């Protein structure tokens, strides 16, 4: 579901498939390295993310809050049109720096 790599002092989390409720619960357990490094730039690569549920949105929001508290930042890259629509409807589009 999530692959996390450190690249040039940044952390890149690549999401694949669907980030529905069961996947978000599993992902919450896997994002420890991101939370531990919330003082750095974290990139959420959504190139291969097909779907995001409210649980997935909460996961992204928790990362944003943790990085804001520790002086880091979250950048979301490469969301598809459907996920972009969800971000627009929920106001998440204004909460995150989104590229691509």
């Amino acid at each position: 579901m999530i692959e996390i790599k450190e690249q040039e002092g940044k952390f890149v989390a690549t999401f694949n498939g669907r980030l529905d409720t069961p996947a978000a619960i599993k992902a919450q357990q896997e994002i420890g390295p991101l939370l531990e490094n919330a003082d750095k730039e974290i990139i959420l690569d959504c190139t291969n993310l097909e779907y995001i549920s409210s649980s997935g949105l909460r996961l992204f929001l928790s990362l944003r809050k943790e990085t804001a508290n520790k002086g880091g930042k979250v950048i979301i890259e490469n969301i598809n049109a459907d996920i972009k629509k969800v971000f627009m409807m929920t106001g998440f589009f204004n909460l995150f720096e989104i590229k691509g």
Side-chain angles (χ1 to χ4, degrees):
M1 178 71 225
I2 302 174
E3 181 181 335
I4 299 172
K5 293 181 183 176
E6 185 177 1
Q7 296 176 313
E8 301 169 10
K10 300 175 186 177
F11 282 77
V12 179
T14 304
F15 289 84
N16 295 295
R18 297 173 56 86
L19 192 52
D20 53 16
T21 299
I25 292 168
K26 186 173 189 291
Q28 184 67 45
Q29 299 166 353
E30 297 175 356
I31 64 167
L34 301 179
L35 296 173
E36 291 167 10
N37 292 281
D39 60 328
K40 298 180 176 60
E41 186 172 300
I42 296 173
I43 298 169
L44 306 180
D45 182 354
C46 298
T47 303
N48 297 315
L49 185 63
E50 300 165 3
Y51 170 83
I52 190 165
S53 69
S54 59
S55 297
L57 291 172
R58 278 192 298 278
L59 178 77
F60 281 20
L61 189 58
S62 71
L63 280 170
R64 182 189 177 278
K65 286 181 180 178
E66 191 67 20
T67 57
N69 288 337
K70 294 187 177 176
K73 71 176 180 175
V74 174
I75 298 171
I76 298 175
E77 294 184 346
N78 306 314
I79 57 174
N80 68 33
D82 291 335
I83 293 173
K84 184 176 183 178
K85 201 178 299 182
V86 170
F87 273 51
M88 296 292 275
M89 290 186 323
T90 58
F92 272 60
F93 202 80
N94 296 323
L95 294 175
F96 292 92
E97 182 176 339
I98 299 175
K99 297 181 178 178

